[in-house]
Amino acid sequence: MQPLTSAMTTLKKSLLAALKSFLRGRSFLQALLAFWISPNALREQHVNGKRVYPSRTIEDFLGEAEKLFLGPIDGDGLKRYSSDLKRQFRERLHSHPECMLPSFNHLLPTGKERGQYLALDVGGSTLRVALVELRGREATGKESEIVRMVSFKITPEIKKLEGMSFFDWMAARIYDVIHKDIPHRQDIIPMGLAWSFPVEQTSLGGGLLLGMGKGFLATNGLLGQDLGELIKFACKKQGLNVQLEAIVNDSSATLLSQAYVHASTRFGLILGTGTNIAVHLPVSAFSRAKYGKRPESWFESATHVIVNTELGMFGKDILPLTRWDELLNADHPRPDFQPLEHMLSGYYLGEICRFAIIEAVKTAGLLGGQLPPSLEKPYSLDTEILSRIEADTSPDLGAALSHWTTHHPSTTPPTLADITAIRTLATFISRRSAALLAASVFSLWELRHETEAERVPATLKPTPSNDSGVVLPSPSVDEEIMDLESSTKVAFNGSVIEHYPKYLPMCQSYINDLVSRSQYPGSVDLVPAIESSILGAAVALACATTTAT
């Protein structure tokens, strides 16, 4: 009887295995035939030539992934994390030379600046030269307009231009765009610049050139020279008398572009391939050492300053890391340099998902236990693919299947169950990113409340200004406190927050929940900033030249 019992048991297992295979897209007869040819074929899978046996179901894997990705941000977890993050922000107001960096720009627009302004945006792949018209905040819906803009591709050949050759190329393009608009060649042409590369600012319109990276050779022989002077010298060869009046980075430009429209804008948020936040804080919040060398006149005129937080550098030792986050960090050329960036930005979200997929393939039989060859390469799973998969809400996920198989073909075609599992993983990762970004905004919002409150005693008038003998705060402090109690606008820009399905409403929902539980009054609203680099450079220029006059 024992052989017969064993045979019956084997048959029962084979039928169950065949049924499972049928559910994976193979016919029952094909599965059963495969068993009779090779009984082990249904119970084992081959990965890199090795036999492996799924140790758990995909449902079990996804259940654990959900706990790891989302468990730490549920309940009070996100609030606790935001408090830890705020503590890190505070510490670095007084230390650390690479983040919480006060810029030279302490001016927010009044909304009364008017005129046409020349603005440049130099990015990793494009130079844009634009003439921007500012019409005033009361011109609702038409406050600012790009009158004319010409984009020039920065090709690999242009990136290889060394030293002044690159700036000469820039100057020639500027001449091409504006030479017909200049009545007298000797007139000084003020210019605002959005510069997407490192620079050590020495004034609002001056800064020492640092390594540009991204394949650019323009800094060869020019490191440490003044960026404004280099552009001025190059333009002079074209007969243009330009003066660089304002330099801004992308997050500061985003803040300024919307502050011109919405007076309550105090944050500029970037979330695309990378991430960053600029915030408007009191000058008194920082230690004097953080300001480096700048004239005393700057401190006499500045009460607040636009701060480049370098957000991605925060989060070490407080972020809720999964084992897939740890794998990403271990493989990174600069581990622990930008912990929060790894969990927020578009450059890394796909890579986190790739690590999770690799494990699911090995241990839970995802994709038939066969990893598509393309996914063996680091950073081969683009976040845009995850975005397209999440965007597909049809019952058969036809579009998602098509995107997947086009970019990651395999000898074992994915089933609906496979794509559903990958889509579920993507939602965990994008939702966690939205929650952590919301916590970042909220922590800085609370920090701004606290530093404004700390500033009040230092800005009280030294003598009474009425008969009561009560010392009154200056009007500027009153205005800031009133502003804090109303709606605060966060201007945003970037491919992930703009285009990733449901990301923006998820992030806003998390912000609303955190603000509702804060001791501080007010609300925080995310608002889009279209063409923020160009418009922000123009607004920075308008602020600088209006003050100068």
Side-chain angles (χ1 to χ4, degrees), residues 235-516:
C235 287
K236 189 163 286 187
K237 297 177 189 177
Q238 300 288 334
L240 301 177
N241 187 13
V242 306
Q243 180 67 41
L244 188 59
E245 297 284 359
I247 303 173
V248 290
N249 69 2
D250 52 1
S251 55
S252 296
T254 300
L255 191 162
L256 288 166
S257 70
Q258 280 305 297
Y260 185 73
V261 178
H262 300 290
S264 59
T265 305
R266 292 297 182 272
F267 297 85
L269 164 63
I270 302 293
L271 183 63
T273 304
T275 188
N276 199 11
I277 293 180
V279 57
H280 193 245
L281 292 176
V283 169
S284 58
F286 296 84
S287 67
R288 195 65 175 253
K290 288 284 286 192
Y291 290 100
K293 295 180 180 179
R294 57 185 75 188
E296 195 62 33
S297 58
W298 186 90
F299 293 97
E300 292 170 358
S301 60
T303 60
H304 291 74
V305 62
I306 295 178
V307 181
N308 172 17
T309 63
E310 288 295 347
L311 178 68
M313 298 177 68
F314 289 86
K316 184 172 170 55
D317 298 328
I318 64 171
L319 282 165
L321 299 178
T322 68
R323 57 181 174 272
W324 306 298
D325 298 308
E326 290 169 351
L327 284 170
L328 186 151
N329 189 54
D331 277 5
H332 198 276
R334 298 187 72 180
D336 297 324
F337 179 62
Q338 292 182 307
L340 188 50
E341 175 123 346
H342 293 175
M343 299 172 76
L344 292 182
S345 74
Y347 187 76
Y348 296 106
L349 299 185
E351 182 68 351
I352 295 169
C353 193
R354 187 183 75 91
F355 279 121
I357 287 171
I358 290 172
E359 181 180 325
V361 167
K362 291 179 178 179
T363 66
L366 182 67
L367 297 170
Q370 299 290 328
L371 184 72
S374 58
L375 288 181
E376 294 174 4
K377 183 181 178 182
Y379 297 94
S380 54
L381 181 53
D382 199 301
T383 300
E384 184 182 352
I385 299 301
L386 299 186
S387 172
R388 291 180 178 183
I389 289 173
E390 276 208 58
D392 187 357
T393 57
S394 65
D396 64 355
L397 295 180
L401 274 162
S402 177
H403 287 308
W404 180 265
T405 54
T406 298
H407 291 86
H408 302 291
S410 175
T411 55
T412 305
T415 65
L416 176 59
D418 291 325
I419 294 299
T420 300
I422 291 169
R423 188 178 186 277
T424 301
L425 275 175
T427 62
F428 296 160
I429 293 166
S430 62
R431 182 179 162 192
R432 182 185 69 168
S433 171
L436 294 177
L437 181 64
S440 303
V441 172
F442 172 73
S443 299
L444 287 167
W445 177 76
E446 283 206 327
L447 178 66
R448 186 168 170 266
H449 267 281
E450 293 170 6
T451 53
E452 286 292 348
E454 292 159 5
R455 172 177 171 256
V456 171
T459 53
L460 294 177
K461 293 181 179 179
T463 55
S465 58
N466 62 0
D467 295 335
S468 67
V470 177
V471 179
L472 300 177
S474 67
S476 62
V477 175
D478 281 337
E479 290 166 7
E480 284 294 334
I481 292 173
M482 288 175 64
D483 172 63
L484 283 167
E485 293 175 352
S486 64
S487 168
T488 299
K489 298 290 190 293
V490 179
F492 68 80
N493 185 269
S495 57
V496 173
I497 193 167
E498 288 183 42
H499 303 302
Y500 200 103
K502 299 183 180 178
Y503 193 102
L504 177 59
M506 272 196 300
C507 187
Q508 183 67 67
S509 177
Y510 278 115
I511 289 173
N512 293 345
D513 180 64
L514 288 166
V515 169
S516 70

Side-chain angles (χ1 to χ4, degrees), residues 113-149:
E113 298 84 358
R114 295 179 181 83
Q116 290 194 345
Y117 298 91
L118 176 62
L120 268 67
D121 174 26
V122 185
S125 60
T126 310
L127 162 67
R128 299 192 298 167
V129 183
L131 192 63
V132 175
E133 182 170 350
L134 301 180
R135 302 190 180 103
R137 196 174 287 152
E138 68 273 13
T140 306
K142 297 182 179 179
E143 299 90 345
S144 59
E145 181 185 356
I146 297 174
V147 178
R148 184 167 69 258
M149 180 168 69

Side-chain angles (χ1 to χ4, degrees), residues 32-51:
L32 195 57
L33 181 61
F35 167 75
W36 293 119
I37 294 170
S38 177
N40 286 332
L42 293 176
R43 299 198 299 268
E44 70 185 28
Q45 295 168 343
H46 292 79
V47 178
N48 296 328
K50 298 179 180 178
R51 293 179 179 179

